[in-house]
Amino acid sequence: MPTYTAPTRDAKFVINEMLDLPGLGNRPGFEAATPDLIDTVIDESGKFCAEVIAPINAIGDQEGCTRHADGSVTTPTGFKAAFDQYVEAGWATLSQPEEVGGQGMPHVLGFAMEEFVSSANQAFGMYPGLTTGAVSALLAFASDELKAKYVPNMIANKWLGTMNLTEPQCGTDLGLIRTKAEPKGDGTYAITGTKIFISAGEHDLTENIIHLVLAKTPGAPDSSKGISLFVVPKVLVNDDGSLGERNGVQCGSIEHKMGIHGNATCVMNYDGATGWLVGEEMKGLAAMFVMMNAARLGVGIQGLSQAEVAYQNAVAYARDRRQGRALTGPAEPEQKADPIIVHADVRRMLMDAKAFTEGMRALYLYAALQVDMTHKAVSEEEQTAADDLLGLLTPVIKGYGTDKGFDTAVQMQQVFGGHGYIAEWGMEQFVRDARIAQIYEGTNGIQAMDLCGRKLASKGGAAIQAFFAKVEEEAAAAEGDLKPMGDALAKAVGEQKAATMWFMQNAMANPNNLGAGAHHYMTIMGIVSLGWMWLKMARVAAAQVASGAGDKAFYEAKLTTARYFFERFVPDCGALRRKIEAGGEAMMALDEDAFLTAA
């Protein structure tokens, strides 16, 4: 059976040393984040996830969720008990605002907890995970009355939330939705339609589920400009906060999926269900993006999380499994064979995984700090800079993070050889669970187009230029043993800048040039972003080694892994730039019939 141990040492290194979160304690909103409290939160959350949530991961995969004749859904054995412990321990409120019942801790700590939960049990983590995005949308757009009625119980996870966007005939192109919202004359609306792929749409974890539903009011434009957002509770809430009658919404079926079986992914049928408008009519798109951006960061973390747990198990297997001899001679002559970790190709896979997981952890935690800065910045300029950078990094964390997360899970399965294909080892579940992250909350092709089609041009290119300046500043500051890494990062960001300029010169004349190169560009930016983080981590590690303080082996391993990243990942930027500069002509040239393989 697979095992999981939360990477608390690495998380504390990034949070305490690279980001220096304790050093922000004199700023408004960071006072509570003392070194002792940071370490306690990380250690205890990691322990909870390893001991309570991880043991039911395989059970959830094997049992799945059960829909009953009345439309109710039962989660797998152990999920309800674990969720009750999760809520009772206060993990749900960790980084939520104090004014609505949260603990007010920095989002950096909440994001770290989210990684641990998802690595331990991705399907479980999806139940409370989407509630965060729903709460963000309500806080940003809902009336004070709606906030008071729903947000406190959602913050506490007494009620969970969902996002109802997708319909059978439309996914990303939300202008095609058919769900209707008819005014009832009393300030409420009758919501009618069908939504699909709704994660945690129905379950037995909480007494109520608060659905946020996109729909169109009568006379609304037949496009995304006609979308409105509505709160539609599973159970109607009385004026005094007590629960009333069941609303007209029901789970029609549970989707049969490749992975994440422990999460109830539902077809939701709305039959005149009572809903309340969130924000202004036909302004639902803005509220939707608040939900989506929060969810996309969470999905990026899911990509890392499955890579991490797969990596941990692959390392344990590679150290134990014996086969063949090291190419340089027997590593353990007294044994009949050496452990497979001595083989260079196994090391290649494990080092790729280590370089990715530790680099991506640093990147998402850095992004989490930008989330904090958008709320707690000391100046408008600082807040704007953080918001711009977060906007750029979000599609990269979601897209590159889940592409590489899935690839890493597959490679860790490969370390097991034939045993990786056998269910009892757990590796095939990690692969199946990881796969969804490349698809939902906007496919990675959509992330690439969001980055290249919208974010690069944002504010006349100011956001991407600010990113370039930060990376180049880090690269230029590298000295001594770190200078080769700094030079490699400078070259990589030069490739990205050249690709950006090529888009500027060629995308207007032929938009397919942008579409054909967008995914390659997102990958370049992912590599550059991780390189930026690795150089930051290497600088801290080198200073610690030079001082003779702390865990020397840990810091030296950081430096070696950083060198590996720059040797093995960064050179790909040049090849990816050349792919972009090939343009889209050959890609788009074939007639549709030419793709058919049969007469």
Side-chain angles (χ1 to χ4, degrees), residues 219-243:
D222 193 20
S223 68
S224 60
K225 294 181 179 179
I227 295 173
S228 299
L229 181 67
F230 299 87
V231 168
V232 186
K234 169 185 170 180
V235 182
L236 296 173
V237 182
N238 297 321
D239 291 340
D240 63 0
S242 63
L243 296 183

Side-chain angles (χ1 to χ4, degrees), residues 4-212:
Y4 172 67
T5 302
T8 54
R9 176 65 181 92
D10 198 52
K12 285 188 283 189
F13 166 76
V14 174
I15 292 171
N16 291 331
E17 300 181 62
M18 191 194 94
L19 296 179
D20 189 24
L21 188 63
L24 298 175
N26 61 345
R27 295 169 60 112
F30 289 92
E31 302 94 339
T34 63
D36 287 346
L37 186 58
I38 290 170
D39 288 353
T40 297
V41 168
I42 293 173
D43 287 337
E44 291 303 313
S45 63
K47 181 180 179 182
F48 178 86
C49 292
E51 295 181 357
V52 177
I53 304 177
I56 58 173
N57 188 38
I59 295 170
D61 184 60
Q62 293 157 11
E63 290 187 8
C65 297
T66 303
R67 179 188 177 275
H68 305 285
D70 62 356
S72 64
V73 170
T74 303
T75 52
T77 301
F79 271 49
K80 180 68 168 68
F83 182 76
D84 289 345
Q85 292 181 62
Y86 173 85
V87 173
E88 184 179 355
W91 296 120
T93 64
L94 186 62
S95 56
Q96 297 289 358
E98 289 183 278
E99 56 269 24
V100 289
Q103 299 177 49
M105 296 297 290
H107 284 83
V108 173
L109 295 179
F111 275 45
M113 171 70 178
E114 191 169 345
E115 180 203 333
F116 300 164
V117 171
S118 188
S119 283
N121 191 329
Q122 181 174 331
F124 178 94
M126 291 168 65
Y127 288 102
L130 288 173
T131 305
T132 301
V135 166
S136 297
L138 291 174
L139 290 175
F141 292 96
S143 66
D144 289 341
E145 181 183 0
L146 288 179
K147 290 177 189 176
K149 197 168 193 176
Y150 295 105
V151 169
N153 281 332
M154 295 174 72
I155 289 282
N157 276 199
K158 183 178 179 181
W159 302 340
L160 292 181
T162 72
M163 294 163 45
N164 282 235
L165 284 61
T166 306
E167 298 183 7
Q169 77 286 348
C170 72
T172 302
D173 191 353
L174 291 169
L176 300 176
I177 67 171
R178 296 172 184 163
T179 300
K180 299 297 183 185
E182 296 283 346
K184 296 170 68 174
D186 59 357
T188 67
Y189 293 77
I191 312 298
T192 302
T194 296
K195 298 289 186 177
I196 64 171
F197 304 159
I198 308 306
S199 300
E202 177 61 52
H203 53 76
D204 59 351
L205 301 184
T206 57
E207 62 185 4
N208 205 0
I209 303 171
I210 311 305
H211 304 292
L212 266 62

